[in-house]
Amino acid sequence: MTMTVPSSRLSQHAGRCLRWDARGNRWWWAGSGAHAVHAVAEQDPAPLACRLPDAAGLLAHCASGRVLLGLSKRLGFSEPGRDARARQLRVQPLVAVDAAEPRTAISDGSTDRRGFLVFGTRNVAADGRAIGSFYQFSGKYGLRRLALPVVAEASAICFSADGKRMFFADAQGCALLACDYDAERGRVGAVKVFAQLDAGATPRGAVLDTAGCLWNAQAGQLVQYAPDGKVVRRIALDCSSIAFGGAGLTQLAAVGEGGLFTVSVPGVAGQPDSPFDDHPSQ
């Protein structure tokens, strides 16, 4: 049964790849339909809005305070701040992704518990074929392709508290998947179905809470799964990305075409994101 819970809108800016910035106590997300990145805190009179040179498929906060952005075909660092309002951000290029394949673009990503970035790509061509891949990027090892099945649109990437299990999906598929994950070796294995979904569910952003439950944004609903993959609850909410933030990470927020909302889920707290390790490699 799908339930309705109280929610409060923080911003009307549509978006994806929502992240909580614990250092700045703000929500950050990339615009959908606009090449921009946004940030807002509940006390802000208006969201920070910074133009980007290209559409962003992911963002991650770094140990240094910078932001790691995944634009359509490349990763890069940026340093947005309060003085960046209404101007285009400069993005320091790091590495090209699928440079020889014009049909793909970065679609989703998350830092693992080691502070490495794991992300995937999607097919932006009309044929919609499964040609998207999954990658790991770090200053220590560079860009490494993960041996996971190809997808039409990589999504729902998140990690268990111990970092040894990775969750992911094809947004055009009907299942949430899980696999063993070794950050240092860049290895994955034992891929299996974590939860079977209804047809047309379009699984997108996902996060885990402190009880080990996985929360996934799907078409018209937000679904919480127990650690064994069974549905705990369904909340009526149309969104594409979710994140826990606020004091004690007890506030759940969601962003989609309707903007950014906080969602009331009492008694639940999220697992913190690991900042991307952007310290110089030894």
Side-chain angles (χ1 to χ4, degrees), residues 226-244:
D228 62 1
K230 294 180 180 178
V231 174
V232 176
R233 66 178 121 183
R234 301 175 187 268
I235 297 172
L237 187 69
D238 192 17
C239 60
S240 61
S241 184
I242 50 180
F244 284 99

Side-chain angles (χ1 to χ4, degrees), residues 25-37:
N25 292 317
R26 278 177 169 75
W27 302 102
W28 287 78
W29 70 102
S32 61
H35 297 173
V37 64

Side-chain angles (χ1 to χ4, degrees), residues 209-222:
D209 62 27
T210 53
C213 295
L214 185 147
W215 295 72
N216 182 225
Q218 298 175 13
Q221 63 178 356
L222 179 58

Side-chain angles (χ1 to χ4, degrees), residues 164-209:
K164 295 180 179 180
R165 198 178 190 203
M166 173 181 168
F167 299 88
F168 63 99
D170 183 343
Q172 305 307 316
C174 296
L176 291 167
L177 305 175
C179 67
D180 296 337
Y181 176 74
D182 185 326
E184 288 294 335
R185 296 186 179 187
R187 292 182 181 176
V188 292
V191 177
K192 62 181 181 180
V193 173
F194 170 70
Q196 196 68 48
L197 313 181
D198 297 333
T202 60
R204 299 194 184 278
V207 293
L208 272 78
D209 62 27

Side-chain angles (χ1 to χ4, degrees), residues 124-143:
V124 296
D127 60 24
R129 292 172 52 211
I131 59 172
S133 300
F134 293 86
Y135 298 89
Q136 181 203 75
F137 176 75
S138 66
K140 186 175 182 179
Y141 298 112
L143 187 67

Side-chain angles (χ1 to χ4, degrees), residues 94-120:
L94 282 173
V95 63
V97 178
D98 281 358
E101 177 49 87
R103 295 174 296 170
T104 62
I106 294 172
S107 64
D108 184 58
S110 174
T111 50
D112 63 22
R113 300 306 174 193
R114 172 62 178 80
F116 298 163
L117 179 71
V118 175
F119 68 97

Side-chain angles (χ1 to χ4, degrees), residues 60-161:
H61 294 282
C62 303
S64 68
R66 296 185 293 184
V67 172
L68 175 60
L69 293 168
L71 304 182
S72 62
K73 301 295 289 185
R74 67 190 188 277
L75 300 176
F77 286 131
S78 184
E79 298 187 53
R82 289 183 177 274
D83 61 343
R85 189 179 301 274
R87 71 174 179 84
Q88 182 163 310
L89 286 180
R90 289 175 294 180
V91 180
Q92 174 191 344
L94 282 173
V95 63
V97 178
D98 281 358
E101 177 49 87
R103 295 174 296 170
T104 62
I106 294 172
S107 64
D108 184 58
S110 174
T111 50
D112 63 22
R113 300 306 174 193
R114 172 62 178 80
F116 298 163
L117 179 71
V118 175
F119 68 97
T121 59
R122 64 188 175 98
N123 185 353
V124 296
D127 60 24
R129 292 172 52 211
I131 59 172
S133 300
F134 293 86
Y135 298 89
Q136 181 203 75
F137 176 75
S138 66
K140 186 175 182 179
Y141 298 112
L143 187 67
R144 301 192 287 193
R145 188 188 296 266
L146 298 178
L148 291 172
V150 292
V151 292
E153 181 181 350
S155 64
I157 299 171
C158 57
F159 295 88
S160 60

